Amino acid sequence: MPGYELWSDKERKEVNDVLETGILMRYGFDGPRKGIWKSKELEAAICETFGSSYAQLTSSGTSALSTAMSALGIGYGDEVITPSFTFVASFEAVLSVGAVPVLVDVDDTLTLDPDAVRRAITPKTKAIMPVHMCGSMADLDGLQAICKEHNLILLEDACQSIGARYKGKSLGTIGDAGAFSFDFVKTMTCAEGGVVITNREDIYTRCDGYTDHGHDHLGADRGADLHPFIGYNYRISELHAAVGLAQIKRLNEFLSIQKKNHAQLKAILAQVPEVSFRRIPDPEGDSCSFISWFLPSEEITRAVVAEMKTRGILPGNFYWFDNNWHYIRKWEHLKNAATLNALSPELKARVMEQANKDFSASHAVMSRCISTSISLLWTSGQIQEKGEKMLDVIRKVLAERGIPV
Ligand SMILES: *Cc1c(COP(=O)(O)O)cnc(C)c1O
């Protein structure tokens, strides 16, 4: 998964360019910065690499989602459909613009189930936000058809799937807008950062202003800018953008290592017929940052997780069903709408109602799922050893239950 594993002289060199001038901010200081514009360069590289018309860097993936939602006009009264399995940032961003996160079941793609999405649509639905979890994609054809039919916005949370593609197009470029995160553990990192990508000029122009206090950025003098709307400070710094600039140039290298390591480990796990794998709508487009696999029941899955823990091989394997950050089951703060600032009573009630629905369809999938993150540092010998240890655990647990192995 993470580009931080291959930190190098290339990242140091880009950061040093900025340290030499001392101009750490992305706007202004045209003279003293001596032609060093890392944020602008990174935005151009993002457009080029992923095939989007516009890119607006932000301070994080979370702020990229908030920015995209504001730019898309999502706010008071609106419902945004988003999955029960995601990172907390997805619903945080919805709440940040005053809209209601409508959590919907995932299927064996580990992303939004289009049928469940259809059932969740109401006259207040404004947007569908699939989250392309763990390196791979949602059923975008299915979701796009629903958006078209009901005239809804499609916003892709592609924070975990940088470099993944669907039918030849980069994830994040297919909806009205998409967001990546460049936090420390994502496929490429800025240390902290994110981006909104879009092919719509109107959306981009709003993102550009929103992330910088509403500045219109039309003149050369920052102090004389007008403010057509209220914004915030979600700017990235030049130091962070410099790290990202080095990393994006290495993205293909990261992805090809990921794919090679993923294929080797998957072939080992596939030796056990009781192990099945996540359904991937376009297998060619998987970024391969994780292998997500299923066992036949929750009981067997829990036993495998426990045995991997006993043997010290659990790190890097995620049982999301019990995870505090990624799955509805442990989001007590959302279920109680525990915000520090008071929400309107109407919003609070709707948030709680949505978060406390029946998610048994998601539980049936997630309780049997383990995701193994793919390291860029593994040698082929290490993958073989790791895979065999995992096989050993799985076979032991199955044999104990009388399943022939
Ligand atoms: C990481 C992540 C985010 C948020 O990104 P940050 O840069 O950490 O704020 C949003 N959504 C998903 C699915 C993520 O994995």
Side-chain angles (χ1 to χ4, degrees), residues 60-62 65 86-87 89-90 131 133 157 159-160 181 183 186 193:
S60 70
T62 311
L65 290 171
T86 178
F87 179 54
S90 309
V131 183
M133 283 300 276
D157 180 343
C159 288
Q160 288 200 9
S181 161
D183 80 20
K186 297 306 204 278

Side-chain angles (χ1 to χ4, degrees), residues 379-399:
T379 63
S380 159
Q382 285 168 332
I383 298 171
Q384 193 63 32
E385 192 186 322
K386 191 177 180 62
E388 278 167 15
K389 284 183 180 167
M390 289 165 75
L391 274 191
D392 210 47
V393 168
I394 298 165
R395 286 187 170 135
K396 171 175 186 272
V397 168
L398 291 174

Side-chain angles (χ1 to χ4, degrees), residues 27 90 111 115 180 223-224 250 259 262 265 286 339-340 386-387:
Y27 296 113
S90 309
T111 63
D115 292 330
F180 292 153
R250 306 177 67 201
K259 284 182 187 174
H262 181 282
L265 187 60
D286 189 356
T339 55
L340 292 179
K386 191 177 180 62

